[in-house]
Amino acid sequence: MKIPSSGITPENVYLNRRRFLAAAGGAAAATALPAAAAVRDLETVPGPFSTDEAPNSWEDVTTYNNFYEFGTGKEDPYRNAQDFATRPWSVTVSGECERPGSYDYEDIIAPHTLEDRVYRHRCVEAWSMVVPWVGFPLGDLLKRFEPNSQAKFVRFKTLLDPQQMPGQRRRILDWPYVEGLTIAEAMHPLTLMVVGIYGKSLPNQNGAPLRLVVPWKYGFKGIKSIVEIEFTSRRPRTSWEIAAPNEYGFYANVNPEVDHPRWSQARERRIGAGLFASKQPTLMFNGYAEQVASLYSGLDLRRNF
Ligand SMILES: Nc1nc2c(c(=O)[nH]1)N[C@H]1C(S)=C(S)[C@@H](COP(=O)(O)O)O[C@H]1N2
Ligand SMILES: [Mo]
């Protein structure tokens, strides 16, 4: 990171704390989390759309995760993804475009300037964080594949590898994890192809080496560890729609007025705010309405949830 923000907790403070806990021995050592896999520094520039809200700590962002391929507990991805192999890595591009093929991770990243973007992150489970992502606009990547006029949607897939991903040995979801966007959503300048957090390469539990971030949608749209991108003429079915179509829709836009069938979406718990902090109001489109509301003009957001 070229311009460090004073609000950002350096990763080494976190690591040192872990070492201290481990060195303290006894009960602390018994419950200590395993050593984190190495992350490297990335060269970045400040990007647009960053919130000035305080980012969550490195510890919050890297130990409170949803990544069901590594287990359904919040600390499971941290515990179980440390040995996940993310090199070599390639992404298959297919469907309605002029440049289909298999692209190495390095070739995908090479032409893009990496930007720091601090975005609000709102999980459908009604908790939220503020995350300093590193990435580049997804649209800039997709344009390189030259989508044709039939490309109305983009479908993404996570790696399928039950050997490495213990969660995939159980039928939690219809593996591999699949997500999708309309082409307009995919091309929107807020939509990020993410390769890092806090100026460093992505920790495995956050979706290394390549994951999506769509900040006005619920977090489950931000598919991790992507190996396939397909341009389609028809709307793809996503893993969460298949699992529970009455609970999780294709759009999944953050909306305080449309409740989940089993809980309210009007308020959210900000991770790290402390045990006694009250919930805060959820913002329409997670606070990005000014940028994205026009994408949905004329759409009934209650039906198209
Ligand atoms: N492949 C895959 N991608 C995934 C998930 C998952 O279980 N598997 N969980 C989603 C959910 S529900 C959320 S809230 C975010 C969490 O991202 P984070 O752990 O980096 O905060 O990842 C999303 N992407
Ligand atoms: Mo989520």
Side-chain angles (χ1 to χ4, degrees):
M1 244 193 288
K2 276 178 187 152
I3 301 184
S5 153
S6 56
I8 290 176
T9 308
E11 166 219 27
N12 51 3
V13 169
Y14 159 71
L15 289 174
N16 285 338
R17 218 185 106 215
R18 284 291 177 207
R19 264 182 228 120
F20 170 80
L21 286 174
T31 57
L33 290 166
V39 293
R40 54 200 175 80
D41 289 319
L42 299 172
E43 196 184 311
T44 64
V45 302
F49 304 117
S50 284
T51 172
D52 50 22
E53 287 166 80
N56 277 86
S57 67
W58 173 271
E59 174 164 8
D60 287 342
V61 177
T62 62
T63 64
Y64 190 93
N65 298 104
N66 275 336
F67 198 172
Y68 280 12
E69 286 83 343
F70 292 100
T72 52
K74 290 290 181 277
E75 284 193 356
D76 287 348
Y78 179 96
R79 290 178 188 283
N80 299 330
Q82 295 306 331
D83 297 329
F84 178 47
T86 60
R87 296 294 189 286
W89 192 271
S90 59
V91 178
T92 303
V93 177
S94 65
E96 303 291 349
C97 69
E98 305 308 317
R99 302 246 175 280
S102 175
Y103 295 84
D104 285 339
Y105 172 80
E106 287 71 19
D107 298 331
I108 286 188
I109 304 310
H112 301 280
T113 301
L114 302 183
E115 301 174 11
D116 294 304
R117 295 199 189 186
V118 185
Y119 281 171
R120 285 177 292 278
H121 172 88
R122 172 61 157 81
C123 178
V124 74
E125 297 162 340
W127 55 265
S128 65
M129 288 198 205
V130 175
V131 184
W133 303 112
V134 176
F136 53 89
L138 174 69
D140 290 352
L141 173 65
L142 297 186
K143 279 175 210 152
R144 289 167 57 200
F145 308 131
E146 298 177 25
N148 64 34
S149 62
Q150 295 305 301
K152 302 282 198 285
F153 298 90
V154 191
R155 182 173 182 262
F156 303 86
K157 261 190 209 174
T158 295
L159 179 70
L160 179 65
D161 188 350
Q163 293 267 41
Q164 288 205 82
M165 295 172 146
Q168 289 181 340
R169 294 174 217 152
R170 296 165 46 208
R171 297 210 42 174
I172 306 164
L173 286 172
D174 187 23
W175 310 114
Y177 197 100
V178 172
E179 259 307 336
L181 296 172
T182 68
I183 195 82
E185 292 171 336
M187 294 296 179
H188 192 281
L190 272 171
T191 305
L192 270 196
M193 194 46 109
V194 161
V195 298
I197 54 166
Y198 272 100
K200 317 237 178 222
S201 57
L202 265 182
N204 293 341
Q205 62 271 31
N206 293 93
L210 202 61
R211 61 87 61 87
L212 193 66
V213 166
V214 195
W216 71 94
K217 294 180 178 283
Y218 291 119
F220 68 83
K221 299 297 288 184
I223 183 172
K224 294 177 167 182
S225 304
I226 295 167
V227 293
E228 272 186 53
I229 298 176
E230 184 186 5
F231 296 95
T232 66
S233 57
R234 297 183 54 196
R235 189 167 109 178
R237 288 185 79 207
T238 68
S239 292
W240 281 107
E241 277 186 285
I242 292 167
N246 60 321
E247 300 189 359
Y248 308 103
F250 174 79
Y251 287 96
N253 292 317
V254 175
N255 189 336
E257 287 159 24
V258 178
D259 288 338
H260 186 282
R262 292 185 279 130
W263 59 82
S264 166
Q265 294 293 27
R267 302 175 76 78
E268 65 197 48
R269 181 172 61 92
R270 179 59 60 82
I271 302 300
L275 222 46
F276 305 105
S278 51
K279 288 190 166 187
Q280 58 186 66
T282 287
L283 305 174
M284 187 64 202
F285 295 115
N286 202 23
Y288 300 96
E290 194 187 320
Q291 287 83 20
V292 302
S294 64
L295 289 175
Y296 308 103
S297 57
L299 196 73
D300 180 341
L301 297 175
R302 217 164 263 286
R303 277 171 172 279
N304 299 280
F305 61 92

